[in-house]
Amino acid sequence: MYEDFDVAVIGLGSVGSMAMWQLSTNTDLRVVGIEQWGVGHAYGSYAGESRVFRAAYHEGWRYVPLLLRSRELWLDLEKKTGRHLFLDGGMLAVDTPGHAPYETTLESIRRYDLPHRSFSTSELRKAYPQHIVSDGTEAVLDLLGGGIRSEVAVLAGVQAAVAAGGTLIDGEAVLGIEERGDSIVIRLATRTLRVGQVVVTTGSWAAQLRPQLRDVVKVADIALTWFAPNDPSRYAPDVFPAFLRDQDGVHMFGVPTLDSYSVKVVSHTAADTQYDSVDDVPPTVSRAAIEEISRNATTFFADLSPEPVRHSMHHESVTVSRVPIVDLDPSGRIVTIAGLSGHGFKFAPALGQLATSLLTGVDDSLYTADFGLSNHPDRVGNVV
């Protein structure tokens, strides 16, 4: 006996929660969301309290319209659910003139006339003395940027979807999906579903259900760290915006304190080690990594206790090009979103909307062909 739905969203993390919300809210389709653990579980790539949101984007100005749409949707979700999701204190990019990512950030601001404030070295030291900066350093405050409470946002997305009529199945892993005739059969441990279309948003587990991704998407690890300021009020959201820093070959990002005790300061570079499976990712942060992160944090920021008061290991799915995969299967029945390469959370609601557009056949000007799987190279440079 089958349970029948029009659309199933498999994986209710960053993008899946938003896709379920968009489908349940904006269509008349019978939507079911499936999560192998509980909603808002601690194993997802979104875990770790918060994420930075940027409208001025150093990965490329072409992403700005997608980010602006996401921002609108984040605020809409916040309003609909009554949950505080978006930290609107701006996003401070601290860098050296001429550094390519910083110049691309400035180009994003110019092209889209984004509201911002610029700081010379002296102005930066006066406005944000928490930052220890070298002579010649500049900064720009992206006034549309800020932070997002990532775990709460996932909960809010599923909450809004269920309130709009969506069905939730959690605590059950999908064992397989199979196209049969004009439908798709989804096998779970205790039941079998029959649906017309599927959205696969299983993040770092995507290749388990979509084997064609195995040579295109890998898993990278990322360590998150929180430090205790001697005076937490100096790192409160009203005086210390979310930030992105590049200095002396070190890349750091973080958000203000959300618990009046610790501030999230993460030292992260593109991972040299990549894995085939989440199971291969180290479960904890090594002592050597903690010591390196601590050196960077106390070099860049004033009055931090050098030992992180909290740290955790996470993972992310990555593509060679760092361009996300947003792909509609040739059958028109399966949308796969994967390989967000550590930048996906800020885009999540817009990607959920793109999934809805692809399934319903609605043209969306923000969808570009290079998102398609056929335009992504594998690890040896072949296009899939």
Side-chain angles (χ1 to χ4, degrees):
M1 179 69 72
Y2 295 122
E3 295 181 40
D4 290 315
F5 297 92
D6 295 315
V7 181
V9 180
I10 303 175
L12 300 180
S14 305
V15 178
S17 60
M18 300 299 127
M20 186 184 178
W21 168 45
Q22 290 295 303
L23 284 160
S24 299
T25 303
N26 297 320
T27 75
D28 295 324
L29 300 171
R30 295 169 299 165
V31 180
V32 60
I34 307 168
E35 173 51 58
Q36 62 179 325
W37 290 294
V39 175
H41 62 80
Y43 312 113
S45 297
Y46 58 82
E49 179 198 72
S50 56
R51 293 294 183 273
V52 170
F53 180 88
R54 295 173 279 144
Y57 204 53
H58 78 225
E59 288 80 2
W61 54 263
R62 69 192 182 109
Y63 290 101
V64 171
L66 200 61
L67 288 161
L68 294 178
R69 178 178 292 179
S70 272
R71 189 179 191 277
E72 293 174 357
L73 292 170
W74 282 126
L75 296 177
D76 183 46
L77 181 61
E78 185 173 75
K79 181 178 179 181
K80 283 181 166 60
T81 61
R83 292 179 178 266
H84 182 202
L85 307 178
F86 196 85
L87 310 172
D88 59 359
M91 206 294 300
L92 187 71
V94 181
D95 208 331
T96 305
H99 188 217
Y102 187 61
E103 294 302 325
T104 305
T105 298
L106 298 178
E107 179 65 13
S108 296
I109 290 171
R110 288 191 291 268
R111 281 179 177 265
Y112 291 94
D113 195 23
L114 300 176
H116 67 283
R117 290 179 58 198
S118 299
F119 300 87
S120 65
T121 305
S122 60
E123 291 168 338
L124 175 61
R125 287 169 174 161
K126 181 178 180 180
Y128 301 110
Q130 305 90 336
H131 289 266
I132 302 171
V133 297
S134 304
D135 290 343
T137 302
E138 292 184 357
V140 61
L141 182 66
D142 170 7
L143 294 173
L144 296 182
I148 304 168
R149 296 174 184 263
S150 52
E151 295 154 336
V152 180
V154 167
L155 290 168
V158 175
Q159 173 191 350
V162 171
T167 298
L168 171 64
I169 298 175
D170 61 352
E172 290 198 55
V174 171
L175 303 179
I177 57 177
E178 179 184 351
E179 294 190 57
R180 295 184 187 172
D182 59 354
S183 62
I184 299 172
V185 173
I186 303 174
R187 292 183 295 108
L188 288 77
T190 65
R191 65 185 92 185
T192 303
L193 311 182
R194 182 170 57 192
V195 303
Q197 296 173 303
V198 172
V199 182
V200 178
T201 49
T202 49
S204 298
W205 295 270
Q208 293 181 4
L209 293 179
R210 307 298 286 159
Q212 58 268 54
L213 297 179
R214 285 179 183 150
D215 293 328
V216 181
V217 174
K218 296 296 180 181
V219 180
D221 57 32
I222 177 172
L224 301 182
T225 45
W226 289 256
F227 292 82
N230 293 323
D231 179 3
S233 67
R234 295 186 68 193
Y235 288 85
D238 58 337
V239 296
F240 182 73
F243 67 88
L244 193 72
R245 284 196 61 172
D246 286 280
Q247 181 178 310
D248 301 327
V250 176
H251 176 72
M252 301 198 80
F253 65 89
V255 299
T257 180
L258 301 183
D259 58 10
S260 300
Y261 161 60
S262 63
V263 58
K264 187 176 185 179
V265 176
V266 179
S267 179
H268 178 53
T269 56
D272 293 325
T273 305
Q274 296 184 354
Y275 310 89
D276 292 324
S277 168
V278 176
D279 296 335
D280 299 327
V281 175
T284 59
V285 187
S286 71
R287 186 63 205 175
I290 290 172
E291 291 174 354
E292 180 182 359
I293 294 167
S294 175
R295 285 193 298 271
N296 292 336
T298 53
T299 297
F300 279 28
F301 294 96
D303 299 325
L304 294 185
S305 178
E307 180 70 17
V309 294
R310 175 184 167 198
H311 54 80
S312 51
M313 182 64 81
H314 303 265
H315 51 81
E316 57 194 21
S317 62
V318 297
T319 62
V320 172
S321 64
R322 300 280 165 163
V323 174
I325 296 169
V326 184
D327 185 74
L328 179 65
D329 189 88
S331 69
R333 295 177 183 163
I334 302 176
V335 168
T336 302
I337 302 180
L340 303 182
S341 302
H343 305 292
F345 198 86
K346 60 183 70 66
F347 291 103
L351 294 176
Q353 197 171 78
L354 286 182
T356 301
S357 297
L358 288 171
L359 288 181
T360 57
V362 175
D363 288 335
D364 193 315
S365 61
L366 299 187
Y367 185 83
T368 63
D370 60 346
F371 289 166
L373 180 59
S374 63
N375 289 307
H376 279 76
D378 63 17
R379 298 289 138 177
V380 295
N382 298 317
V383 175
V384 179

